[in-house]
Structure formats: C-alpha cells, structure tokens
Amino acid sequence: MVHKGKKEKILSKVIVVTSGKGGVGKTTTSAAFAAGLALRGHKTVVIDFDVGLRNLDLVMGCERRVVFDFINVINGDANLSQALIRDKRIENLYIFPTSQTRDKDALKREGVDKVMDQLRREFEFVICDSPAGIEHGAMTALYHADSAIIVTNPEVSSVRDSDRIIGILAAKSRRAERREKPVEEHLLLTRYSPERVKRGEMLSVDDVKDILSVPLLGIIPESETVLKASNTGVPVILDPQSPAGRAYDDAVARFLGEQREMRFMLPERRRLFGGLFGRAAS
Amino acid sequence: MSLFDFFFPKKTSSASIARERLQIVLAHERVGGRGGADFLPLLQKELLAVVAKYIPVKDDMIHVTLGKAGTASVLEINIEMPTEQRGIKMKAATA
C-alpha cells in the first residue's frame, strides 16, 4: 500500500467487511472504519447489505432519519441522493441504509451493479457491511470488493468461518471472475483479550494469523466501550477514551499505509479501563 | 510468546487444543475451497476414473488434499490399494 495524502484524489476503493460468522463485530467495524476514513478527509459511504435485518443505522445513530433505502434505489423508487444519509457529526461521511423487506433476493445483481458504479464515481471509499453467512446478501456484499476486512474473533467457529469466507473471496468475487488482481485481504482480530491469551484460554494473534495466513490489520481489544458506543449510536472510534476506539484508529491508519505498531497484544499493567468507570453515561 | 509457553505449557491449554483442532479441520476443508483450488473435487473424480481402469478402487479409496509445507503448497494424492493394502503416495509441489 502507498501512503495517500489527505487531499490527493485517489481511485475509488470498495471495501467489504465480512466474517462468515455473526456477532463478531462486522457492523461495529464498518461504522468505525467509515468514520475513521471520513475523519481523515476521505469521502466515504457505508452500506448496509443485511437486507431484512437493518442495524447499521442504529449503530451509526441515524435510525430516525431513514426515509429511502438500498432496495428503493435498486427498484428505481428513489434516487441515490434521496437515500444517502449525511452524518451530522463527521463531514464526508454518508450512510446508505438497507431495507427491512423479508424478500431475500431483493438485492438484484444488475441493480446492485448500477448502484455500486454510481457510488464509485462519487466516493473515495465504499464500505460494504456484509450480513453473516454465505447466502445471497453476503455474496453480493463481497462481489464488488477491492479490499476485504475479515473480522475474526479468537475462537474456533469464527476462525473456521473466516477461512471459508477467504476461500469465497478468492473464487467468487468480481476480481476473481474477471481474473484481475485478487481482493486485498486484511485480518482484523476483534474481542481480543490478552489476559486470556496469556492464561492459555484464548487463541493468540499469532495462532490466528498462522492459521488464516492473512496479513494482520489490527487487534481490537475486548472492551466495554463497544457496547456503550452502540447503545448511544456513536461509532466507537469517536470515543478517545476507548481502547477499542484507539485500536480502530490504528487499523484505519494502517489501512491507509501508515506504519503503526500493534497495540493491545499484551495485558496492560496500567489501569486502562480505570478512567471509564468514573465517567457518567451520556 | 516463549515465556508464556514456559509458564503455560501448550499441551494443556485449551487455546493450543483449539489451534490443533482448527489446523486439522481447515486442512481438510481447504480441499476444493481456498486459493481458487476448486478443481480438486474434479481432479479427484478424474483420477479415480483413470486409476479404476487398472485397479479396482472405490470412491473413498482416493484422497486428494492441498496442504502447506513452509511457503509451498503441497498437493497430496493418496490412493489406497484394495487387496494388498499398500498405499501409493504421490507428492507434488505447486507454486
């Protein structure tokens, strides 16, 4: 990766946040990454591909502003600018919510292609928040990807599912179909607990890295602040007190080509969470 | 890492059991899955057809796996012999 300056115009990049397994932190990661990229001055949109189980809007705190959605745009009932929600806190950040329809195949190939082409023209980064599983929604989310962030917990079922998804990326993405340069893969280890790793109760960073053989983008420590962030609808990266937020900030910087040393790999001696308990819930 | 290993021997920790189980299950599942090697089931089928012309072998007597040895991928083909129970083992390294 090359370092890209803030104002430098770059080609649009589509990033899928995927995992196979549910509940590992895809939406949290999508929200944090989108916010992190936008904070660095990149015009970014984050799309919810989880049709029927919309949640990105809640995590981003814009659930009451959803009027039109992805499916409305695909069906031509609304245009893109009507459906995109501009974030009130961060400049350059847009949220593209999905629909609550129960029709599983509402994400029609041609419709999605058209929307993605349009988004590529308007945004530097297009972040696709994939649903869990390997069904239609997940396949559609990863299809257009240039990069993939594979969100993995240090736990057997998550690692196995990530391995499946890595295989699918290599075989079923548009880049694979067109025999282009493969999708760039990044491993993001979430809900990591150095204390438990030290006690031999949890797979270590090195274990997961070796098993999946995907370059490590970051380690997000298990943190109470992640729940607090979703409770309040604020991407965790905006909380400077949060270890997870700081770890996401590191990961975004690395994604953009910056060199940052890995943190949160070893148990903290200082009282890292100490300051948080004293803070009143807002 | 080595300090942890000293105080918490890997053999007894649940994390090391997890790692071993994952390595085994994924080595098996990657056949025909990862790295675009989805030709493996077909290769297995065609190999079986060729071998079956000369030796009476059944479907489950031929095993094709794609593993790793250092930086190289290793394509391992195991064919079980029916009566003498002798194995023919072929190993080929791919890029």
Side-chain angles (χ1 to χ4, degrees), chain A residues 120-136:
Chain A
R120 271 183 191 274
R121 283 196 296 273
E122 286 182 37
F123 292 91
E124 277 182 75
F125 290 103
V126 180
I127 297 183
C128 305
D129 182 20
S130 173
I134 48 173
E135 302 285 311
H136 182 70

Side-chain angles (χ1 to χ4, degrees), chain A residues 87-225:
Chain A
D87 192 275
K88 283 183 172 168
R89 299 154 297 206
I90 306 163
E91 217 188 323
N92 296 317
L93 179 58
Y94 292 80
I95 299 111
F96 193 8
T98 194
S99 145
Q100 288 284 46
T101 176
R102 289 172 69 184
D103 175 13
K104 272 188 166 181
D105 301 317
L107 286 173
K108 293 184 204 83
R109 169 61 71 85
E110 303 76 33
V112 176
D113 288 356
K114 223 175 113 187
V115 172
M116 293 303 286
D117 285 345
Q118 225 177 323
L119 290 171
R120 271 183 191 274
R121 283 196 296 273
E122 286 182 37
F123 292 91
E124 277 182 75
F125 290 103
V126 180
I127 297 183
C128 305
D129 182 20
S130 173
I134 48 173
E135 302 285 311
H136 182 70
M139 301 302 273
T140 310
L142 68 80
Y143 183 73
H144 290 88
D146 301 308
S147 294
I149 296 174
I150 297 136
V151 184
T152 308
N153 288 169
E155 179 269 327
V156 285
S157 51
S158 175
V159 175
R160 185 196 215 172
D161 291 358
S162 291
D163 195 75
R164 258 329 271 291
I165 281 291
I166 293 162
I168 290 168
L169 278 165
K172 305 282 183 198
S173 63
R174 189 168 77 156
R175 283 177 172 268
E177 261 183 25
R178 295 181 175 182
R179 300 194 180 278
E180 293 171 356
K181 203 167 149 265
V183 177
E184 195 180 90
E185 296 162 344
H186 304 274
L187 173 65
L188 190 75
L189 201 55
T190 55
R191 307 200 66 170
Y192 194 69
S193 167
E195 291 80 13
R196 302 199 72 184
V197 172
K198 192 180 172 184
R199 290 199 296 267
E201 297 171 3
M202 185 181 266
L203 289 164
S204 71
V205 184
D206 290 331
D207 288 341
V208 181
K209 239 169 57 182
D210 288 351
I211 292 168
L212 294 177
S213 28
V214 170
L216 182 68
L217 183 65
I219 305 158
I220 313 299
E222 172 81 69
S223 167
E224 294 177 7
T225 56

Side-chain angles (χ1 to χ4, degrees), chain B residues 44-82:
Chain B
Q44 178 160 355
K45 215 175 132 194
E46 288 185 11
L47 270 173
L48 182 75
V50 174
V51 176
K53 271 206 251 177
Y54 305 95
I55 312 162
V57 288
K58 288 190 196 121
D59 285 15
D60 57 347
M61 292 164 88
I62 183 160
H63 304 281
V64 181
T65 52
L66 191 62
K68 263 175 63 175
T71 52
S73 297
V74 175
L75 178 66
E76 197 173 314
I77 299 164
N78 275 296
I79 302 164
E80 234 178 275
M81 301 291 279

